[in-house]
Amino acid sequence: MTEQSPALDNLLTESRTFPPSAEFAGQANAKADLYATADADREQFWAGQAERLSWDTKWSQVLDWTNAPFAKWFVGGKLNVAYNCVDRHVESGHGDQVAIHWVGEPGDTRDITYAQLKDEVSKAANALSSLGVVAGDVVAIQLQMVPEAIFAMLACARIGALHSVVFGGFSPTALRARVDDAAAKIVITSDGQYRRGKAAPMKANVDEALQGAETVQKVIVVKRTGSDLEGETPWTEGRDLWWHELVDGQSAEHQPEAFDSEHPLFILYTSGTTGKPKGILHTSGGYLTQTAYTHNVVFDHKPGEDVYWCTADIGWITGHSYIVYGPLANRVTQVVYEGTPNTPHEGRHWEIIQKYKVSIYYTAPTLIRTFMKWGEDIPAKYDLSSLRVLGSVGEPINPEAWIWYREKIGANKTPVVDTWWQTETGSIMISPLPGVTSAKPGSAQRALPGISAKVVDDTGTEVPHGGGGYLVLDKPWPSMLRGVWGDDERFRDTYWSRFSEQGYYFAGDGAKYDDDGDIWLLGRVDDVMNVSGHRISTTEVESALVSHPTVAEAAVVGATDPTTGQGIVAFVILRGNAGDGGDAAVQELRNHVAKEIGPIAKPRQIMVVAELPKTRSGKIMRRLLRDVAENRQIGDVTTLADSSVMDLISSGLNSGK
Ligand code: ATP
Ligand code: MG
């Protein structure tokens, strides 16, 4: 037998811990015994969680895994997802509670109560039905963060149609690919969107996308920017309808129909960090159960008391699970903000938190690092004392960013929950429980009660504490993907073939256990670097760089190297006041990494850059930086937020800077 080398070297150590205060722990929704309860009988545990929902017909079996990897949860159960997110709160006497504090980028606002939400969703459901949309049809939604986006999603759920939400900033090509892939019958969009203080056309792009798209029968257009746009909204008579003309006059009465627990709820494409996006399919009962459960225990949400704000875009899974489904099922009062965080000024988020007394705030590491770059004096100007839980999602959060978040935003007292999950998992899988876990900055720590995750080596054997390898999910979970739309083979290949013998779900992420057995996410397996036989994670080197006071953001890649196999090339963005980034500064950073995690991880080259290539959901696209570092033609950039970033970086590199 050949000896297995560790799948990942374990370099960075971080020993700070932050237990919850006794006060927080005492009032928390989830207590420590939840782990044991779930372990004692997982199916029984999930059956209990499903009781959070209102079912028209109760299920007869919790889980059917006989046709793995195609799961069925709450078999035989029937429910209406929109009824669970809206109507039942009105029926229980909370019609006057604000569901959504909507904030437009230009400063206009709209408060929507549950009673109003019920009317809007019912009207939109009637409108879709009037156009012939029936259960099983696909409706594509390309909208910015306006309330109609939420009405439209819930209206689809109400009538059993699947939505496929496409990020508002995506190009006509990206929209068309998604419309065609799912054979969408209806597209819902807006005339234009506000972006960084300016109105930009949206409908014109949709028209370009839909040229010759045969499946699309109607296009519904929300009027948002109106006369702010130059020129008229392009219009196709017979196909295009204004939302307000179609929807506003509909009846606000709509009888929700109960659908099977496994009825498809939506398709959503992954963000494309590692390659061509995949159309992920989610269904109803299990998805809503786990999003509601996780929103309750991870954020410690108290209906009617908390004001919650998840800053994600509706175009990503975080927007689906933690703006729409989980929170609304839990009768949230939440902020929905239309615009960018620096319009009209860099304190916009803090101003909104102050105004609405936001108590739970959930955002992404990329934004936290941006806030760090802008400077701590900006949040310091606002009253953030309402905050009691902070969350992070999307990428590994570097320990320094975590500490900054807790200190500068959370007054050095709020729990910070680092939540690991994916479009495919549907809900949070690995995360601290804010009232239980002694938090470790940079670690997502432990699978939630009811969830099972492991770090394994190449052979699928669990690695010992202190070891690194691949993250797998070794037991099915309620909100798991039910497939890749129209491509069962890709579903099996991508997620289930790597550890088919064990039947594990392969997440595609590297991870390690620390000595306590807590899980640390180490970035994409595709991004792992191999330097002189050492398998080094991008995350660890990036975190070492970010721990230097001059560095705001860092991205690290392995570039082919004649002597070491791969050499580490780092791209860094300096903080506002950090000086010129000349040779001495670069040398200092190289030495800093060597000191923090060891000489093997010392970058061969460090480039100071102004921007990093990111997906529209804010994740760093290392594969493009690898192309630059290896002087290759740059790969697929269709999900990049700003494609000019790559030209900037390449030209900087060629000029030797
Ligand atoms: P694609 O699969 O098309 O490349 P993507 O993986 O970026 O796209 P998402 O499903 O939005 O699309 O992202 C999930 C990934 O985000 C995870 O696999 C992981 O790499 C990363 N991630 C999310 N949250 C965390 C977290 N808290 N810590 C570390 N990594 C995280
Ligand atoms: Mg992925």
Side-chain angles (χ1 to χ4, degrees):
M1 239 185 87
T2 56
E3 201 181 311
Q4 292 293 324
S5 62
L8 268 175
D9 278 323
N10 188 349
L11 299 174
L12 196 67
T13 50
E14 167 62 58
S15 52
R16 293 170 281 191
T17 57
F18 298 84
S21 67
E23 190 195 346
F24 192 101
Q27 60 80 62
N29 292 348
K31 305 285 201 285
D33 60 354
L34 205 59
Y35 292 103
T37 310
D39 285 347
D41 186 340
R42 277 168 34 85
E43 292 193 9
Q44 190 51 42
F45 173 80
W46 283 116
Q49 298 308 327
E51 300 289 353
R52 294 173 181 276
L53 308 181
S54 166
W55 296 80
D56 282 63
T57 308
K58 202 172 161 177
W59 62 89
S60 51
Q61 189 186 353
V62 175
L63 167 67
D64 177 358
W65 190 230
T66 52
N67 187 30
F70 297 89
K72 286 197 178 119
W73 280 88
F74 308 114
V75 184
K78 282 189 166 45
L79 80 173
N80 186 285
V81 168
Y83 172 85
N84 272 280
C85 292
V86 184
D87 305 44
R88 64 175 176 146
H89 306 318
V90 179
E91 288 170 11
S92 66
H94 299 96
D96 292 337
Q97 181 184 325
V98 172
I100 299 169
H101 289 296
W102 179 76
V103 182
E105 193 185 84
D108 48 337
T109 60
R110 208 174 146 186
D111 284 350
I112 300 156
T113 64
Y114 274 97
Q116 289 165 335
L117 185 61
K118 176 170 176 280
D119 288 353
E120 296 296 342
V121 172
S122 300
K123 286 191 217 172
N126 281 323
L128 289 175
S129 299
S130 78
L131 299 178
V133 180
V134 296
D137 284 345
V138 175
V139 175
I141 301 175
Q142 184 174 41
L143 277 172
Q144 67 275 37
M145 297 295 286
V146 287
E148 287 80 2
I150 298 173
F151 305 159
M153 289 166 76
L154 290 168
C156 289
R158 199 173 179 93
I159 62 172
L162 290 76
H163 53 71
S164 167
V165 181
V166 180
F167 176 59
F170 270 156
S171 67
T173 322
L175 172 61
R176 177 60 179 274
R178 288 159 178 75
V179 162
D180 284 352
D181 190 50
K185 206 164 159 181
I186 305 278
V187 176
I188 305 181
T189 187
S190 66
D191 56 347
Q193 58 179 334
Y194 292 108
R195 229 48 211 153
R196 302 193 164 79
K198 284 202 280 295
M202 184 108 130
K203 173 64 166 45
N205 292 338
V206 171
D207 280 4
E208 193 186 326
L210 297 186
Q211 268 178 38
E214 284 174 1
T215 60
V216 176
Q217 296 168 6
K218 298 284 177 202
V219 176
I220 306 173
V221 188
V222 174
K223 190 176 240 162
R224 172 59 183 138
T225 47
S227 57
D228 294 2
L229 275 184
E230 287 169 33
E232 298 248 303
T233 305
W235 209 254
T236 305
E237 285 305 330
R239 185 196 69 179
D240 298 350
L241 301 157
W242 284 110
W243 173 285
H244 58 274
E245 289 179 3
L246 172 71
V247 175
D248 289 0
Q250 300 283 341
S251 160
E253 295 302 316
H254 182 273
Q255 187 59 38
E257 184 188 334
F259 294 100
D260 192 90
S261 178
E262 283 299 333
H263 187 76
L265 184 61
F266 64 83
I267 307 166
L268 182 65
Y269 292 80
T270 57
S271 64
T273 313
T274 53
K276 186 172 172 275
K278 302 169 275 282
I280 302 302
L281 175 67
H282 282 288
T283 61
S284 303
Y287 173 80
L288 196 62
T289 295
Q290 196 178 331
T291 52
Y293 157 67
T294 51
H295 176 259
N296 177 273
V297 297
V298 173
F299 301 110
D300 195 47
H301 173 254
K302 310 277 197 285
E305 292 172 30
D306 278 308
V307 179
Y308 167 86
W309 183 14
C310 165
T311 70
D313 192 278
I314 221 96
W316 309 119
I317 190 66
T318 309
H320 284 57
S321 302
Y322 296 105
I323 294 177
V324 181
Y325 292 109
L328 292 174
N330 289 343
R331 186 162 55 81
V332 79
T333 293
Q334 70 179 321
V335 168
V336 174
Y337 171 53
E338 180 186 38
T340 43
N342 51 353
T343 307
H345 58 78
E346 291 171 345
R348 188 72 193 263
H349 277 208
W350 320 126
E351 186 179 74
I352 291 172
I353 290 173
Q354 173 177 286
K355 173 171 174 191
Y356 291 101
K357 301 199 166 30
V358 171
S359 53
I360 305 169
Y361 178 72
Y362 188 31
T363 195
T366 177
L367 197 56
I368 298 166
R369 293 187 301 255
T370 303
F371 291 142
M372 289 170 76
K373 188 170 64 181
W374 290 344
E376 62 185 75
D377 49 318
I378 296 173
K381 286 188 220 139
Y382 297 88
D383 177 5
L384 306 180
S385 59
S386 53
L387 289 169
R388 62 180 203 93
V389 180
L390 300 176
S392 170
V393 61
E395 287 182 293
I397 179 167
N398 322 102
E400 287 317 312
W402 192 104
I403 296 274
W404 189 93
Y405 194 27
R406 178 174 154 113
E407 278 181 359
K408 310 299 177 206
I409 308 304
N412 214 3
K413 67 175 201 319
T414 55
V416 174
V417 286
D418 174 10
T419 63
W420 179 89
W421 60 295
Q422 309 178 297
T423 311
E424 295 88 340
T425 68
S427 313
I428 297 170
M429 303 293 283
I430 306 178
S431 165
L433 288 174
V436 176
T437 316
S438 267
K440 295 178 182 169
S443 171
Q445 295 186 284
R446 185 169 173 189
L448 288 175
I451 301 298
S452 186
K454 281 194 166 81
V455 182
V456 300
D457 66 14
D458 281 330
T459 66
T461 309
E462 189 168 17
V463 302
H465 289 184
Y470 307 97
L471 182 73
V472 298
L473 302 167
D474 58 317
K475 299 207 171 82
W477 63 100
S479 66
M480 68 195 295
L481 75 166
R482 301 301 198 262
V484 172
W485 187 251
D487 200 343
D488 287 352
E489 203 175 307
R490 195 169 178 207
F491 174 54
R492 289 177 191 279
D493 276 4
T494 312
Y495 307 105
W496 303 97
S497 64
R498 183 73 181 74
F499 298 105
S500 57
E501 210 174 298
Q502 296 84 355
Y504 293 165
Y505 170 90
F506 173 51
D509 286 355
K512 70 178 185 190
Y513 288 129
D514 65 16
D515 293 337
D516 303 326
D518 280 321
I519 296 174
W520 296 68
L521 275 306
L522 296 179
R524 313 302 180 124
V525 169
D526 299 358
D527 290 335
V528 168
M529 303 173 289
N530 195 330
V531 182
S532 306
H534 292 273
R535 309 251 298 149
I536 298 176
S537 112
T538 51
T539 303
E540 293 196 317
V541 181
E542 288 164 8
S543 289
L545 284 163
V546 172
S547 75
H548 191 274
T550 61
V551 176
E553 281 218 73
V556 158
V557 299
T560 310
D561 187 287
T563 45
T564 56
Q566 280 189 321
I568 299 179
V569 178
F571 298 78
V572 300
I573 301 179
L574 298 180
R575 288 210 206 180
N577 52 357
D580 64 345
D583 287 348
V586 162
Q587 198 49 47
E588 185 181 325
L589 288 179
R590 294 181 66 228
N591 293 337
H592 176 73
V593 174
K595 183 173 117 269
E596 287 294 302
I597 61 182
I600 186 71
K602 190 173 186 169
R604 179 182 82 186
Q605 193 182 3
I606 295 185
M607 318 256 314
V608 176
V609 294
E611 291 293 342
L612 290 169
K614 288 187 188 151
T615 62
R616 311 281 175 115
S617 59
K619 296 180 206 284
I620 298 170
M621 276 220 237
R622 291 176 193 76
R623 63 182 168 83
L624 300 180
L625 293 172
R626 210 153 48 224
D627 292 341
V628 172
E630 296 185 336
N631 283 316
R632 254 197 316 275
Q633 177 98 30
I634 291 175
D636 182 32
V637 292
T638 51
T639 59
L640 200 61
D642 174 2
S643 51
S644 65
V645 166
M646 288 316 299
D647 301 336
L648 242 149
I649 293 173
S650 309
S651 63
L653 186 66
N654 293 334
S655 70
K657 187 109 207 303

